[in-house]
Amino acid sequence: MYSYTEFDDSFIAERNAQFRAQVERRLDGSLTEDEFKPLRLMNGLYLQLHAYMLRVAIPYGTLGSRQMHKLADIADKWDKGYGHFTTRQNIQYNWPQLRDVPDMLDALAEVNMHAIQTSGNTIRNVTADHFAGAAADEIADPRPVAELIRQWSTDHPEFQFLPRKFKVAVSGAAHDRAVIKAHDIGLQIVEQNGVLGFQVIVGGGLGRTPMIGKVLYDFVSSEDLLPTLEAIVSVYNLLGRRDNKYKARIKITVHENGIDDIRARVIERYALIRPQFTGVDQQILARIEADFVSPNLKTAPINAYTSAYDSDPIFRSWADTNLTDHRNPSYAIIACPGMDYCALATARSIPIAQEIATRFDELKLEHDIGPLKIKISGCINACGHHHVGHIGILGLDRAGVENYQITLGGDGTETATIGERAGPGFSADDIVPAIERLVLRYLALRTDASETFLQTFRRMGLAPFKTALYPEARAHAA
């Protein structure tokens, strides 16, 4: 994994010292909250309903053991003993005291971590496939180029006050596990005539107005990638709307102007800035790639594993669910197949996710169901990616009462699709039985055990699932 250089260490130390002075000025009243807000946002600090929240970047989802220990230490020392990992490969601490935040940032710097640009209208943390560097279907490891993009975008003088936040994801595999089509820019590593490059997708996003991104270029070479990204963000910075934050994301810019117009503007801007990129970025990329050489993993006997797999049905079930192919056939990857969830202000989502998991554990159906992604968001910002869940749940506040809307048929892979809204929402007491009815209907409808929930939904459509969700409507119709 990437190791900080002397420049990186110096840069982070300087930023942390600068923010420490700003915090001191806020605490002594020299800065008002309005004056402090843009300064704290540049350093990943939010002011939420009851306390501050610090969001820490985990670039392209890669963590080492020292970093994991440090994150735990920070949670124990300055928070409530835990943090929340997010869908965009950050970790959030929800209860820090403002006076402690500079010390938290210094502690992060000890293990090459920071919170810069994890908030605000700037280019956020660059994300990648969680199997990056190990996946068997990987064309190339996306982490080096993700690190290059992180370095290019950090403190970029032109892109610190964009119309709205801007998110980039990179996938190096044929099967998209990074949801690149739901990002402002999605990059897919592709091969053309034996040369690696990138398919460039723009204008994706979830939230209030979910949209699937559109292909801007089928192939961009490695040498042309950064100038292409700079051209795209420059065009958005000038063209994106600043009169309405709900229409300020690039997905709206692409929708309102059309992909052909955006492409023409990007080509024009690219021609102006391309001479500024003289190959230094490729030299930096080469140095970065040296940090991502595959580790020399030990080879050990697997007799104990084989014996447990053959004799213990519980262990065999765990292995079948949680192990996936490694790029080296001698190894395997351990993955978590659990549900994605997010807890924000308008409705509870963590307890609902726990109740769903508990209910299906009681039913003992999890291994009959097969691949099923249930994603839940606690507010319209869609941090839980509910729009691309096979079953999506959106928690809202309806006149002080929690209400949970269901979408069906979403997909966050290379065949990305926004889920269809099923109908009226459900109360907190009714949402788990509703999910149970959906799953039971799927089991009754599928052609055989090999047909997944998503395949069944695409074959049958919304109608049979809707009748399962709303049996009372069917009864009234009769």
Side-chain angles (χ1 to χ4, degrees):
M1 59 187 296
Y2 180 72
S3 297
Y4 275 18
T5 64
E6 183 178 341
F7 171 83
D8 295 321
D9 289 330
S10 176
F11 175 80
I12 297 299
E14 183 178 338
R15 278 293 294 262
N16 288 354
Q18 181 187 66
F19 189 57
R20 182 180 291 276
Q22 293 164 349
V23 169
E24 291 172 355
R25 293 169 63 200
R26 176 69 187 108
L27 290 172
D28 69 19
S30 300
L31 288 175
T32 66
E33 173 53 33
D34 286 343
E35 292 169 330
F36 182 57
K37 180 179 179 180
L39 303 175
R40 62 172 170 77
L41 289 177
M42 293 173 69
N43 292 279
L45 190 63
Y46 286 77
L47 181 58
Q48 295 192 313
L49 187 60
H50 301 296
Y52 284 99
M53 181 272 281
L54 180 66
R55 179 182 292 150
V56 178
I58 304 171
Y60 36 91
T62 297
L63 277 174
S65 59
R66 288 180 62 244
Q67 293 171 324
M68 285 290 288
H69 280 291
K70 183 62 69 174
L71 294 177
D73 290 343
I74 288 171
D76 284 339
K77 187 172 183 178
W78 291 298
D79 207 276
K80 293 189 175 183
Y82 60 87
H84 289 268
F85 286 103
T86 76
T87 53
R88 293 210 72 257
Q89 300 174 339
N90 300 291
I91 186 171
Q92 296 181 174
Y93 296 106
N94 289 288
W95 300 100
Q97 297 294 315
L98 178 57
R99 65 178 178 272
D100 294 330
V101 172
D103 290 336
M104 297 171 73
L105 295 177
D106 284 344
L108 289 167
E110 294 173 4
V111 291
N112 296 355
M113 298 185 75
H114 63 77
I116 297 170
Q117 292 183 202
T118 57
S119 58
N121 294 335
T122 186
I123 298 174
R124 300 288 188 87
N125 185 33
V126 181
T127 59
D129 179 359
H130 53 288
F131 290 160
D137 63 340
E138 195 169 75
I139 298 171
D141 187 346
R143 295 174 300 169
V145 75
E147 173 60 29
L148 179 69
I149 296 169
R150 183 194 71 79
Q151 295 188 21
W152 160 78
S153 62
T154 299
D155 229 20
H156 193 299
E158 188 179 343
F159 303 146
Q160 291 306 297
F161 296 97
L162 296 170
R164 200 70 174 89
K165 57 189 174 182
F166 202 93
K167 301 175 181 179
V168 180
V170 190
S171 175
H175 178 52
D176 178 21
R177 290 176 288 265
V179 202
I180 59 174
K181 292 182 180 179
H183 280 74
D184 299 287
I185 292 179
L187 299 175
Q188 174 74 50
I189 297 178
V190 294
E191 184 176 351
Q192 187 177 95
N193 300 323
V195 178
L196 294 180
F198 302 86
Q199 183 187 67
V200 181
I201 299 164
V202 299
L206 302 177
R208 183 180 296 266
T209 311
M211 293 184 180
I212 298 299
K214 296 178 173 61
V215 176
L216 186 70
Y217 295 115
D218 286 316
F219 186 88
V220 171
S221 69
S222 177
E223 295 80 7
D224 289 336
L225 181 62
L226 282 195
T228 298
L229 296 183
E230 181 132 347
I232 293 169
V233 184
S234 296
V235 167
Y236 165 62
N237 199 21
L238 292 174
L239 193 61
R241 294 179 60 171
R242 298 177 187 267
D243 61 322
N244 184 336
K245 72 175 185 177
Y246 300 119
K247 297 184 178 181
R249 296 291 293 271
I250 194 174
K251 62 186 177 183
I252 303 298
T253 307
V254 172
H255 177 72
E256 290 183 342
N257 293 274
I259 189 65
D260 292 333
D261 179 78
I262 297 296
R263 186 181 295 109
R265 292 172 186 267
V266 169
I267 290 171
E268 182 179 3
R269 179 63 179 164
Y270 171 87
L272 291 175
I273 65 174
R274 182 61 180 90
Q276 300 171 17
F277 290 81
T278 59
V280 174
D281 59 319
Q282 295 305 294
Q283 296 171 16
I284 295 172
L285 177 60
R287 291 201 297 270
I288 293 170
E289 287 174 335
D291 282 335
F292 289 92
V293 174
S294 298
N296 185 20
L297 299 176
K298 296 180 180 179
T299 300
I302 62 169
N303 297 342
Y305 167 83
T306 303
S307 175
Y309 186 89
D310 292 340
S311 62
D312 186 342
I314 295 177
F315 179 78
R316 181 167 60 252
S317 175
W318 177 89
D320 290 342
T321 303
N322 290 279
L323 298 181
T324 190
D325 291 337
H326 192 283
R327 63 192 302 175
N328 184 329
S330 299
Y331 309 139
I333 303 171
I334 296 178
C336 174
M339 292 174 286
D340 298 309
Y341 55 83
C342 167
L344 290 176
T346 57
R348 296 171 301 152
S349 44
I350 290 178
I352 298 299
Q354 291 172 329
E355 289 173 20
I356 293 171
T358 298
R359 179 56 181 154
F360 281 93
D361 181 61
E362 293 169 350
L363 294 172
K364 303 301 179 187
L365 288 174
E366 62 268 27
H367 299 297
D368 294 328
I369 294 169
L372 173 59
K373 293 186 180 295
I374 302 177
K375 298 178 181 285
I376 178 168
S377 298
C379 84
I380 203 166
N381 289 319
C383 296
H385 293 182
H386 66 276
H387 293 298
V388 292
H390 302 161
I391 298 175
I393 304 171
L394 169 61
L396 297 171
D397 184 319
R398 297 296 192 200
V401 177
E402 290 169 314
N403 183 272
Y404 295 88
Q405 295 179 356
I406 292 176
T407 55
L408 297 174
D411 178 13
T413 71
E414 63 278 5
T415 54
T417 308
I418 300 298
E420 298 181 48
R421 183 177 170 184
F426 295 85
S427 69
D429 291 335
D430 293 335
I431 185 62
V432 176
I435 300 301
E436 181 178 337
R437 292 196 298 275
L438 277 176
V439 173
L440 293 177
R441 178 57 55 91
Y442 151 64
L443 293 175
L445 290 172
R446 68 183 182 181
T447 54
D448 55 50
S450 67
E451 186 175 57
T452 67
F453 180 93
L454 188 58
Q455 290 169 338
T456 302
F457 180 85
R458 288 174 171 172
R459 177 173 59 84
M460 300 294 297
L462 178 62
F465 293 95
K466 192 168 184 176
T467 59
L469 276 177
Y470 307 103
E472 66 281 359
R474 184 178 183 182
H476 291 159

